[in-house]
Amino acid sequence: MSNKMERDTLGELLFREFGAYAAALDEHGEDWEQTWPSATWPPHTPLAVLQGRFAVAREAAAAVGVVPSDAILTEELRLRQKYRMMFPDGPPALIS
C-alpha cells in the first residue's frame, strides 16, 4: 500500500470514528469542546468504546502523517452539526 493510500485510508477512518464519537456526545447532551479531551467514561459503555476507537484511529492516522489539529476537529464538528440541523431527516435524496 502506498503512503498516499495509507494516508487517505487512515484519514477517512479517523474522521469516521470522530463523527461517531462526536454524534454520540451530542446525543448524550455533552459539549464536544469541553468533553472530548478530558472525559473518562465508565468502562464498557458506548461512550468509552467510541472514545477508545477515536483515540486509536487518531494515533494510527498520526503514524502516517495525518494529524488534524484540535481546532480542525472542532470546526469539522460544527459543520456536521449545521448539516444535521439543515437535514434532520438525513441526507436529501435526488431520486425518491
Side-chain angles (χ1 to χ4, degrees):
M1 187 183 302
S2 73
N3 192 38
K4 170 143 180 39
M5 186 180 294
E6 288 173 347
R7 288 172 56 89
D8 290 348
T9 301
L10 292 173
E12 287 175 26
L13 176 66
L14 169 64
F15 279 95
R16 184 173 55 239
E17 294 303 329
F18 159 76
Y21 183 40
L25 287 174
D26 277 350
E27 289 172 10
H28 284 84
E30 301 286 347
D31 178 19
W32 166 263
E33 294 178 52
Q34 299 296 318
T35 305
W36 80 272
S38 61
T40 303
W41 306 109
H44 311 295
T45 61
L47 286 175
V49 171
L50 290 169
Q51 182 184 38
R53 289 174 55 158
F54 170 65
V56 169
R58 195 170 193 190
E59 287 180 27
V64 294
V66 178
V67 189
S69 67
D70 293 350
I72 289 172
L73 291 172
T74 300
E75 182 60 26
E76 177 70 18
L77 173 66
R78 289 183 185 135
L79 291 172
R80 289 174 187 231
Q81 288 172 331
K82 286 179 187 176
Y83 182 83
R84 279 197 302 270
M85 287 173 40
M86 289 172 45
F87 305 107
D89 296 328
L94 296 176
I95 301 173
S96 44

